[in-house]
């Protein structure tokens, strides 16, 4: 047999006083329950104060796009694009390494420095270095901008001995070239070589 349902009693309701809390106060929370107060937002500085240029009106499209040339960044972080140039653009002075002008510079520079000079074992190394630097700077003035220059100068004492200097290179015969010169007097000899390698 089913047991009869027990009626709700007032005493049972009174045992739970939270049941009689008004509906408006059930979801009330204190300041501690809500957490810290939101941070006050400070007004941001104007665009002019931050260095941001003022935008032009929509109707003036020319000023918005900018008629001036773009300014290149200043510093060592500039990256240049590849030119895809595998050979000199034209043939002639300033484009392809010409042996004649380089040969003349090499001859005049060595003769100017060593004419009437006596061999000194303590100064020969410094003389060779000075000659190489001078020849390189003068050849650069010819305008070979896309060429890597290699200058080799040998200075030695002349005592009647036999000497032969040789060099071998792996290069492109269509663009690369070299020039060499030999000088000697009663005390000293000098051999100078300039190699021009096209820098792709």
């Amino acid at each position: 047999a089913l047991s009869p349902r027990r009626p709700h009693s007032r005493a049972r309701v009174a045992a739970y006083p939270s049941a009689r809390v008004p509906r408006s106060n059930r979801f009330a929370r204190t300041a501690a329950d809500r957490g810290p107060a939101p941070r006050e937002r400070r007004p941001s500085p104007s665009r002019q104060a931050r260095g941001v240029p003022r935008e032009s009106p929509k109707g003036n499209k020319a000023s918005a796009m900018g008629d001036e040339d773009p300014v290149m960044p200043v510093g060592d972080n500039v990256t240049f694009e590849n030119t895809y140039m595998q050979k000199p653009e034209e043939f002639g002075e300033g484009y392809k390494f010409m042996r004649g002008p380089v040969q003349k510079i090499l001859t005049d520079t060595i003769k100017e420095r060593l004419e009437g000079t006596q061999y000194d074992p303590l100064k020969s190394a410094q003389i060779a270095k000075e000659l190489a630097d001078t020849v390189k700077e003068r050849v650069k003035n010819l305008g070979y901008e896309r060429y890597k220059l290699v200058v080799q100068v040998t200075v030695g004492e002349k005592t009647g001995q036999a000497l032969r200097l040789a060099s071998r290179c792996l290069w492109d015969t269509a663009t690369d070239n070299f020039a060499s010169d030999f000088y000697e007097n009663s005390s000293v000899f000098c051999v100078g070589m300039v190699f021009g390698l096209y820098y792709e």
Side-chain angles (χ1 to χ4, degrees), residues 88 95-99 102-103 106 135-136 139-140 142 144-152 167 169-180 193-200:
Y95 294 94
K96 189 174 180 180
F97 188 89
M98 304 298 294
R99 185 174 183 176
V102 179
Q103 179 80 32
L106 194 59
V135 170
K136 182 177 64 175
V139 174
K140 282 182 178 181
L142 296 178
Y144 303 129
E145 297 180 357
R146 297 187 60 85
Y147 273 87
K148 182 178 288 294
L149 302 176
V150 180
V151 183
Q152 179 180 350
S167 60
C169 302
L170 179 62
W171 61 18
D172 187 359
T173 57
T175 57
D176 305 337
N177 207 339
F178 79 101
S180 63
M193 291 180 287
V194 180
F195 301 90
L197 309 176
Y198 185 76
Y199 189 70
E200 297 181 357

Side-chain angles (χ1 to χ4, degrees), residues 16 34 70 81 83:
Y16 301 95
R34 289 194 298 268
E81 296 183 356
T83 59

Side-chain angles (χ1 to χ4, degrees), residues 116-165:
T117 302
Q118 298 295 321
Y119 179 76
D120 188 347
L122 301 178
K123 298 181 180 180
S124 59
Q126 182 64 25
I127 292 175
K129 183 178 182 302
E130 292 176 359
L131 283 173
D133 294 340
T134 304
V135 170
K136 182 177 64 175
E137 293 300 325
R138 293 182 179 180
V139 174
K140 282 182 178 181
N141 295 332
L142 296 178
Y144 303 129
E145 297 180 357
R146 297 187 60 85
Y147 273 87
K148 182 178 288 294
L149 302 176
V150 180
V151 183
Q152 179 180 350
V153 177
T154 303
V155 178
E157 183 181 10
K158 181 181 178 181
T159 57
Q161 76 278 20
L163 179 67
R164 182 181 297 271
L165 297 177

